[in-house]
Amino acid sequence: MDSQTSQPSQASPSPHTFQVDLRGLVDLLSHHLYSSPKVYLRELLQNAVDAITARRAEEPDAPATVRLYAEDGTLRVEDSGVGLTESDVHSLLATIGRSSKRNDALESARSDFLGQFGIGLLACFVVAERIRVVSRSARTPGAAPVEWTAADDGSYTVRTLPHEARPEPGTTVHLVARAGAGEWLSRERVRSLARDFGALLPYDVRVGDEAIADLPAPWDRPHPSPTARRVALAGHCRELFGFTPLDSIGLDVPLAGIRGVAYVLPTAVSPAQRASHRVHLKGMLLTERAEQLLPDWAFFVRCVLDTDSLRPTASRESLYEDETLAAVREALGERIRSWLTGLAAGDPERLAAFLSVHHLGVKSLARHDADMLRTMLPWLPFETTDGRLSLEEFAQRHPVVHFTRTVEEYRQVSPIASAQGVGVVNGGYTYDSELIEALPGVRPGTAVSELDADTVTAHLDTVDPAEELALAGFLAAARARLDPLNCDVVLRAFHPLSVPALHLDDRAARHEQARAEAEEQADDLWAGILGSLRGSAPRARLVLNHLNPLIRRISSLGDPDLVGTATESLYGQALLMAQRPLRPADSALLNRSFIGLLEWATHTDPGKDDRR
């Protein structure tokens, strides 16, 4: 057999062209790329504005008009733009993904255009079953007008028209609504969408005879005074976002091509809540939900701005994350930071009003910005044993700034520490402990120390050794009762006298306590692993106040069981006073001690007559 006949053919296969199901593609656009059918009008406005921009690049004095006419489920959009020839129609309108901004003489000026992805009129099929385009090219004055008609099944026709069909260069787009979509082409909806998308467009855009553009932009309008400007911008914020701002911040960043304003929210919001901002691209509304525009710490403002430097995504409903956006984010953050610094320097009343609502946002910024922390030290509020103070004022009062890392720890120690003259700052709230630890870096000479159970105990007065020795039996009974709960008992003398007992622990003690509980409930293998993790962490302690009359009476009891029940009651009461969450074992102890005390209180001596 001939060896050549046994070899597979090496000829290159003929290439095939992808087939596009237009209806399936439109369904994909409407359900996954675009957030709402309303974007069809943005696409029409965008195409019209880009056509005018292209014509004016060659004819600076060319007319710049866009007219929209809606009636009975139809829409007509006319523009005075550059127009199309018959070859342009075949090349651009009928080819999905090809943009007129590519591969032509205006490639170098693509930054002047709104749309750069070549989706074009395809989005109109989201609301229309048929699209008809009549266009005449300004670049080829002698070319006849051309008509392109397309249906949502993917078919289209092209034909030339008499010159009188379109006497002037430009394009007219006719839409016929698909079933159930007529409302999107109603006059009221078209006017509303046109105002929303095109209010800042630089050309003459009208729905019928009604002008759409509202220029200059609110942040560019002149005002007789700063107060008048603030009032006018507050009205714009109410109209746009639905709230009256605490203040407005100008966002003029010429190097980044940014003009706009940030409105300060009048109520506190969670740092985890993503802020949504309105972004216009060269006057056209791009999105109402831009989330990555500002630094994370600036969650207390809502922005509206116009830009010519940022890139949109393919859907043109969000911003493309790139180096330009990162630089803009930093520049806008610096503008908001400068506003805060200005308030601190010249308007303390407005700053205090702002911080009363949004101190959390400023703390978030200050933990990464030493200059901001230094500026805000006299203003940022913290919870302390001296009341609500700034760190600057607290540090002036106390040689050492003691703090706790959790709210629970603060609640345990604050009453006792305050009575002993030890100042404590609650560092358990978001960002607070980080700022307290950064204090020495911006306030040289300041001593900062975390307050733990050992530190508090060290500040309490010891009991005379002879008196403590006389109470050895009582302390032994109390310790035996609390030993299963991994809690020691110590005797100290402290104020206020009304506090009989104080429960103290730290994170290491709580960790060991949690490990021991898990070990008790685990199977043999897991219990062995947890047992190997047992450390030398200090145990929690119940500090009994020797100055308290109740403690003195309990310590004189001769019944070890009654001493144990009373100790359990003191332990439970101390937990409740510290507002600590109760473990199952703690709840059981409280119930047991309560019942035990009731039984003791209602016990009748059989040697006595109980008759009254």
Side-chain angles (χ1 to χ4, degrees):
M1 180 180 293
D2 191 336
S3 61
Q4 290 183 349
T5 61
S6 64
Q7 298 297 322
S9 173
Q10 300 299 314
S12 299
S14 299
H16 298 279
T17 301
F18 281 105
Q19 301 299 309
V20 177
D21 179 353
L22 184 58
R23 284 177 174 162
L25 185 56
V26 169
D27 182 72
L28 180 67
L29 290 175
S30 61
H31 289 92
H32 300 283
L33 183 62
Y34 295 132
S35 61
S36 166
K38 69 181 183 180
V39 298
Y40 88 92
L41 193 68
R42 185 194 63 203
E43 296 291 340
L44 289 173
L45 286 176
Q46 175 178 286
N47 287 344
V49 169
D50 283 346
I52 293 172
T53 301
R55 184 176 180 184
R56 283 203 158 184
E58 300 177 359
E59 302 176 50
D61 295 330
T65 61
V66 181
R67 298 290 184 266
L68 298 91
Y69 304 94
E71 186 177 0
D72 298 331
T74 64
L75 175 64
R76 185 172 85 255
V77 181
E78 300 176 352
D79 69 68
S80 60
V82 70
L84 302 171
T85 63
E86 183 176 357
S87 62
D88 291 335
V89 166
H90 285 288
S91 175
L92 301 174
L93 297 187
T95 304
I96 295 171
R98 181 173 297 173
S99 172
S100 61
K101 273 70 76 177
R102 299 182 183 146
N103 301 319
D104 66 14
L106 296 177
E107 174 68 27
S108 61
R110 286 186 68 208
S111 62
D112 294 332
F113 296 103
L114 300 175
Q116 299 180 7
F117 293 91
I119 296 176
L121 290 175
L122 188 62
C124 293
F125 280 118
V126 172
V127 298
E129 66 178 7
R130 188 169 75 255
I131 302 173
R132 177 172 169 258
V133 177
V134 177
S135 186
R136 182 169 182 174
S137 175
R139 293 175 180 164
T140 312
V146 59
E147 177 191 71
W148 176 83
T149 304
D152 60 2
D153 62 1
S155 63
Y156 72 93
T157 60
V158 177
R159 64 174 180 146
T160 58
L161 301 176
H163 285 276
E164 57 268 19
R166 178 81 200 193
E168 299 295 330
T171 300
T172 301
V173 179
H174 302 260
L175 300 186
V176 178
R178 65 168 56 246
E183 192 271 339
W184 288 104
L185 271 61
S186 68
R187 179 178 173 80
E188 288 301 318
R189 178 57 68 94
V190 168
R191 180 169 53 229
S192 174
L193 293 179
R195 282 189 176 280
D196 205 28
F197 286 120
L200 301 184
L201 290 175
Y203 302 138
D204 181 11
V205 181
R206 296 173 182 267
V207 176
D209 296 327
E210 183 178 345
I212 295 303
D214 187 19
L215 296 176
W219 48 85
D220 288 331
R221 295 170 188 169
H223 297 283
S225 67
T227 300
R229 172 181 169 81
R230 191 176 301 124
V231 170
L233 288 177
H236 176 247
C237 180
R238 283 193 300 271
E239 180 181 347
L240 201 62
F241 293 116
F243 65 84
T244 300
L246 285 178
D247 205 350
S248 56
I249 308 168
L251 299 180
D252 185 7
V253 188
L255 292 178
I258 298 289
R259 293 282 294 170
V261 62
Y263 293 116
V264 181
L265 291 165
T267 56
V269 293
S270 167
Q273 179 179 331
R274 300 293 294 179
S276 296
H277 311 288
R278 287 176 64 95
V279 176
H280 295 256
L281 179 61
K282 304 178 185 71
M284 179 75 74
L285 178 65
L286 180 72
T287 179
E288 300 172 279
R289 299 188 300 276
E291 294 183 347
Q292 68 273 51
L293 188 64
L294 296 180
D296 290 340
W297 56 262
F299 54 83
F300 50 84
V301 299
R302 295 291 181 271
C303 293
V304 54
L305 56 82
D306 189 25
T307 174
D308 57 18
S309 62
L310 299 178
R311 290 175 56 195
T313 58
S315 68
R316 289 184 288 280
E317 295 188 299
S318 59
L319 298 172
Y320 187 81
E321 185 69 50
D322 58 9
E323 292 181 357
T324 302
L325 179 57
V328 166
R329 184 185 301 123
E330 182 177 350
L332 295 181
E334 181 58 37
R335 185 65 193 86
I336 297 173
R337 185 185 290 109
S338 298
W339 170 78
L340 285 169
T341 304
L343 286 186
D347 201 339
E349 290 185 3
R350 284 171 63 201
L351 178 64
F354 167 76
L355 289 178
S356 68
V357 179
H358 296 299
H359 58 273
L360 200 57
V362 180
K363 287 180 178 180
S364 175
L365 167 61
R367 65 193 177 121
H368 298 302
D369 189 324
D371 290 337
M372 180 56 64
L373 177 57
R374 188 178 295 107
T375 300
M376 290 296 161
L377 270 181
W379 308 102
L380 287 174
F382 288 78
E383 182 180 358
T384 79
T385 49
D386 292 352
R388 198 161 182 81
L389 301 175
S390 70
L391 286 181
E392 175 70 25
E393 187 175 358
F394 186 86
Q396 291 174 355
R397 296 185 181 186
H398 299 277
V400 178
V401 178
H402 291 287
F403 74 98
T404 63
R405 290 193 182 275
T406 69
V407 175
E408 289 78 10
E409 290 173 344
Y410 178 79
R411 288 170 177 168
Q412 288 182 73
V413 304
S414 57
I416 309 303
S418 180
Q420 309 305 310
V422 178
V424 185
V425 182
N426 184 357
Y429 296 113
T430 306
Y431 310 133
D432 282 10
S433 61
E434 296 175 70
L435 294 177
I436 297 167
E437 289 180 305
L439 191 55
V442 298
R443 195 179 188 276
T446 303
V448 172
S449 175
E450 183 176 354
L451 190 67
D452 55 19
D454 288 334
T455 304
V456 175
T457 304
H459 280 83
L460 304 180
D461 294 334
T462 58
V463 178
D464 181 84
E467 290 188 53
E468 188 167 2
L469 182 61
L471 298 175
F474 158 70
L475 293 174
R479 287 166 181 154
R481 185 59 65 95
L482 295 187
D483 185 67
L485 297 174
N486 293 312
C487 182
D488 291 331
V489 177
V490 296
L491 188 65
R492 293 289 188 273
F494 57 86
H495 293 273
L497 300 179
S498 57
V499 178
L502 175 66
H503 181 271
L504 294 177
D505 65 0
D506 52 27
R507 279 166 288 133
R510 289 196 293 274
H511 175 75
E512 174 61 20
Q513 200 171 59
R515 186 210 58 79
E517 290 180 1
E519 182 180 358
E520 291 179 0
Q521 301 173 6
D523 56 29
D524 293 341
L525 174 61
W526 188 237
I529 295 174
L530 290 172
S532 68
L533 298 176
R534 183 182 297 112
S536 57
R539 306 206 309 171
R541 66 198 68 173
L542 182 68
V543 184
L544 302 179
N545 187 0
H546 187 56
L547 301 180
N548 181 266
L550 177 62
I551 296 298
R552 288 182 175 272
R553 288 196 295 271
I554 293 175
S555 64
S556 65
L557 295 174
D559 185 346
D561 288 336
L562 184 55
V563 168
T565 300
T567 302
E568 288 181 338
S569 298
L570 291 170
Y571 173 85
Q573 189 262 354
L575 284 180
L576 295 175
M577 289 295 294
Q579 301 183 45
R580 288 287 309 280
L582 298 180
R583 302 170 297 163
D586 298 330
S587 298
L589 174 143
L590 277 172
N591 291 332
R592 183 173 64 248
S593 62
F594 178 70
I595 297 300
L597 290 177
L598 283 179
E599 290 179 345
W600 177 82
T602 58
H603 176 71
T604 301
D605 189 338
K608 293 184 179 180
D609 184 1
D610 61 353
R611 289 176 297 177
R612 299 291 186 266

